[in-house]
Amino acid sequence: MASQEIENLVQALAKLPGLGPRSARRAVLYLLKRPETAMKPILAAMTKVDERLVTCGICGNVDTQDPCQICNDPRRDEKALCVVEEVSDLWALDKSRLFPGKFHVLGGRLSALDGVRPEDIAIDKLIKRVEQGGIDEVVLAMNATLEGQTTAHYIAERLENYPLRLSQLSHGIPVGGELDYLDEGTLAQALRSRRPINQD
């Protein structure tokens, strides 16, 4: 049996996404066997991040500086703005290096069941950014869920009177995907989003 302190560490790690009690226990044992090369560097890095962690006042990203590194990057296209639900979505899109512009994190999505209203997420802040001018395109990168698409539709309505190009991520069959392995929701979305084939 481990001490209560070690057990508390296991329970804390088990709350992380992708880690259950068994994986957390293995991770803790790994750290305990390598205090100098594993545990102390992780502890130092976490302490430093904890001391400096801030939310970007412009886009809602989390970083150790405000404005964040993305908002401070002069190479970014100021005229293009990608709207995402969560910071994890921003990080995933930014890691792909496919979007050259800046981001806006809503901090959630509209959900009547969960009581999340437009004023509970950063939609008004998005509208203010657009009102300041200089943005030519807004990409709505919401998740392909009912709540995500409801949020995208609501934002599109709020932005329809502004002189900008409004686009949304395409959803459907992934490249290399086989129909037999796709769920019904993905297939339904792919059928709804079908487009004509140009014929000469």
Side-chain angles (χ1 to χ4, degrees):
M1 292 293 291
S3 69
Q4 189 59 50
E5 291 84 359
I6 293 174
E7 193 56 40
N8 290 344
L9 179 58
V10 170
Q11 289 175 13
L13 286 179
K15 293 177 183 176
L16 295 175
L19 284 182
R22 291 177 67 183
S23 297
R25 191 168 306 283
R26 283 196 298 271
V28 167
L29 286 170
Y30 178 85
L31 293 172
L32 293 177
K33 287 180 180 179
R34 296 160 185 85
E36 295 299 324
T37 59
M39 186 163 53
K40 288 185 180 177
I42 289 174
L43 182 58
M46 290 182 73
T47 301
K48 191 172 284 189
V49 168
D50 182 53
E51 290 169 352
R52 299 185 57 196
L53 188 66
V54 291
T55 300
C56 178
I58 297 173
C59 73
N61 187 18
V62 291
D63 204 337
T64 55
Q65 64 184 49
D66 183 14
C68 71
Q69 292 185 42
I70 292 174
C71 289
N72 267 335
D73 189 346
R75 298 167 297 178
R76 295 270 177 174
D77 183 359
E78 300 270 354
K79 296 179 179 181
L81 188 65
C82 182
V83 182
V84 296
E85 293 177 21
E86 300 289 352
V87 172
S88 57
D89 303 323
L90 183 159
W91 288 6
L93 284 168
D94 191 52
K95 186 177 181 183
S96 74
R97 300 184 185 276
L98 296 173
F99 183 72
K102 300 205 173 181
F103 291 89
H104 184 86
V105 180
L106 295 173
R109 59 188 174 211
L110 298 177
S111 173
L113 288 175
D114 298 325
V116 181
R117 303 161 299 170
E119 56 268 28
D120 297 325
I121 56 179
I123 294 176
D124 287 340
K125 196 170 183 179
L126 168 64
I127 304 302
K128 287 177 184 172
R129 286 183 77 177
V130 171
E131 285 175 346
Q132 290 171 357
I135 296 174
D136 292 341
E137 180 184 13
V138 172
V139 179
L140 301 177
M142 312 290 100
N143 288 313
T145 61
L146 177 61
E147 294 87 357
Q149 296 310 297
T150 300
T151 306
H153 182 72
Y154 178 82
I155 293 172
E157 284 185 342
R158 292 280 304 269
L159 294 175
E160 66 183 356
N161 294 323
Y162 293 93
L164 51 80
R165 188 168 66 255
L166 194 60
S167 59
Q168 186 173 10
L169 291 186
S170 176
H171 301 292
I173 299 172
V175 174
E178 296 183 30
L179 297 181
D180 191 35
Y181 292 102
L182 299 176
D183 62 89
E184 290 179 16
T186 301
L187 286 171
Q189 183 62 40
L191 284 169
R192 282 195 297 269
S193 301
R194 67 188 183 274
R195 60 182 190 269
I197 297 173
N198 292 334
Q199 294 180 337
D200 296 329

